[in-house]
Amino acid sequence: MKNTEKTHAFPENWPEEYLRLAMTHPDGEALFYACGQSVEEYAPDSEALFDPTGESRCAPIPFVYRKHIGKALVLVTSSCFSYCRFCFRRASPPSSKKEPSVDDLCAIRNWLFSNEAVEEVILSGGDPLTLDDSKLATLLTIFGQPPGVKRLRIHSRAPVVNPKRVTRELVEIFKNSAKPISMIIHAAHPAELRRELWRCAELLLDGGIGILNQSALLKGVNADPATLCHLISKLRSRGIETKYIHHTDRAPGNAKFRVSIREGLSILRKLSGLLDDPPDYVIDLPNGAGKFPVSSLSVVDKVSTPEGIKRRYRWNGPVHDDAATEERPPFEWWDITEQE
Ligand code: SF4
């Protein structure tokens, strides 16, 4: 998808290699659009949700979120390589460096020991790979110790944005982990797929580290069937599966990336005609209940406003078998305004 808007700033913090890619690739403008600050971010945004995925309702201790009994997500750093402008965590400026202290990590470790039902620890942030090898090795040791923990998952855009960060030494650290590790890479646009990413994927796969992709559906970047098909097919050809496409969280300031639920369903329907095995289209509900198929939502109300049409959606369950929050269906909320 070509983007013609060029009102965004030059991202100062990008790794040089990614900046060169964005400047030289014929579709590089999409990368600037996704990660460069723009004046639109500061416009009034009445449709933003201040806690777009309801995380504040499922935070048992600092830096930990638990939406499922069997999973705990730990924010190990606020630093990122790309500070994607659609992300609800992008608000931390590169200088803020918010990380759990030693005391916080002790508390997290103790919490994991006393919550044996947690089988998967997800290292997120920020981007965990902005931490150095020694800090990462320490975290993997701490999170891998509790007997209940069976696996570790790392969410990182490093293979996409800063492939040099994935070294043989780092893969050795992963291989030495007491629990198996997988990585989710969040590639958003086909322009990001290049030789250096495939090198990272080979290194990780050869080291026994599973590598998967998840993408958010982003207007102006990838919200059309052809772009998504290109992205997913190319990743699959290199052994990287995309199981989920995420409906974009309505974070304050990310209005330019939002598609309506109805529009998203239409894009995914068309995508299913292009791919043998299309990914699931999921939404992280604003009430903290977790991720559910968008197709399971129903429209319960519709109003016309001077700006367009608004639809009200209802989630009727079912609740995940291992849901950790008290949130139960039905839950209703208004979608963004659509032009018709
Ligand atoms: S999507 Fe990931 S890499 Fe991008 S700003 Fe959010 S946490 Fe950072």
Side-chain angles (χ1 to χ4, degrees):
M1 167 177 274
K2 295 250 183 218
N3 208 298
T4 49
E5 278 185 71
K6 294 189 178 180
T7 54
H8 34 274
F10 214 64
E12 289 170 19
N13 55 300
W14 273 1
E16 200 185 316
E17 208 180 325
Y18 193 69
L19 182 58
R20 197 175 312 119
L21 173 72
M23 289 172 70
T24 54
H25 193 285
D27 292 329
E29 188 55 28
L31 312 189
F32 285 119
Y33 187 77
C35 299
Q37 280 192 50
S38 67
V39 285
E40 295 140 289
E41 286 181 37
Y42 304 99
D45 183 4
S46 60
E47 295 189 326
L49 303 172
F50 281 90
D51 183 11
T53 67
E55 278 189 335
S56 59
R57 305 175 195 214
C58 45
I61 56 170
F63 298 96
V64 174
Y65 295 112
R66 188 190 199 187
K67 290 184 180 170
H68 301 274
I69 298 286
K71 296 177 188 172
L73 184 144
V74 186
L75 301 183
V76 296
T77 176
S78 64
S79 296
C80 271
F81 292 112
S82 58
Y83 295 95
C84 319
R85 305 319 296 169
F86 51 86
C87 172
F88 69 94
R89 302 203 204 281
R90 79 196 184 294
S92 301
S95 55
S96 71
K97 290 222 177 243
K98 209 166 149 217
E99 289 173 16
S101 65
V102 173
D103 286 348
D104 293 321
L105 289 174
C106 285
I108 295 169
R109 178 180 173 278
N110 293 342
W111 182 85
L112 287 171
F113 267 99
S114 57
N115 284 274
E116 288 182 12
V118 175
E119 295 191 344
E120 184 173 45
V121 178
I122 302 162
L123 283 73
S124 186
D127 192 321
L129 265 60
T130 58
L131 301 171
D132 64 28
D133 282 4
S134 120
K135 183 83 187 268
L136 266 176
T138 305
L139 293 177
L140 296 178
T141 304
I142 292 172
F143 300 152
Q145 276 172 351
V149 174
K150 306 267 189 302
R151 55 193 176 273
L152 304 170
R153 195 202 312 172
I154 300 175
H155 282 244
S156 172
R157 262 172 62 79
V160 176
V161 179
N162 192 18
K164 282 193 188 124
R165 175 67 189 92
V166 182
T167 59
R168 289 190 187 284
E169 292 73 31
L170 181 67
V171 175
E172 277 308 307
I173 289 170
F174 290 168
K175 282 164 75 176
N176 289 331
S177 159
K179 306 289 161 70
I181 294 181
S182 63
M183 188 180 283
I184 313 286
I185 62 168
H186 301 267
H189 190 275
E192 295 180 319
L193 312 182
R194 56 204 162 115
R195 203 172 51 234
E196 292 80 0
L197 169 58
W198 309 139
R199 181 200 61 83
C200 287
E202 267 176 38
L203 210 54
L204 290 162
L205 290 167
D206 288 351
I209 314 303
I211 173 167
L212 293 162
N213 182 56
Q214 288 177 11
S215 305
L217 189 60
L218 303 167
K219 191 160 146 186
V221 180
N222 63 15
D224 71 281
T227 304
L228 284 177
C229 178
H230 187 183
L231 175 72
I232 294 166
S233 309
K234 229 171 153 183
L235 285 165
R236 280 183 181 165
S237 72
R238 300 289 180 148
I240 305 173
E241 185 54 85
T242 301
K243 287 194 174 161
Y244 298 108
I245 296 291
H246 288 259
H247 187 72
T248 295
D249 306 317
R250 278 154 62 179
N254 76 356
K256 73 175 186 180
F257 297 107
R258 294 176 203 149
V259 296
S260 67
I261 290 174
R262 195 158 147 272
E263 202 180 340
L265 280 167
S266 163
I267 293 167
L268 268 286
R269 207 172 302 119
K270 287 176 190 153
L271 180 65
S272 69
L274 302 175
L275 287 172
D276 287 340
D277 186 14
D280 292 331
Y281 181 34
V282 293
I283 183 165
D284 211 336
L285 293 175
N287 65 348
K291 291 188 179 71
F292 288 87
V294 178
S295 58
S296 70
L297 306 174
S298 49
V299 180
V300 290
D301 202 354
K302 180 178 163 182
V303 292
S304 291
T305 70
E307 290 76 37
I309 306 280
K310 279 175 84 79
R311 289 179 174 78
R312 188 168 175 82
Y313 282 85
R314 177 181 291 163
W315 168 62
N316 274 322
V319 182
H320 287 300
D321 289 346
D322 69 342
T325 64
E326 296 301 313
E327 297 301 324
R328 294 291 178 266
F331 169 71
E332 294 183 3
W333 77 108
W334 289 101
D335 195 15
I336 61 170
T337 308
E338 297 175 90
Q339 310 299 323
E340 284 193 309

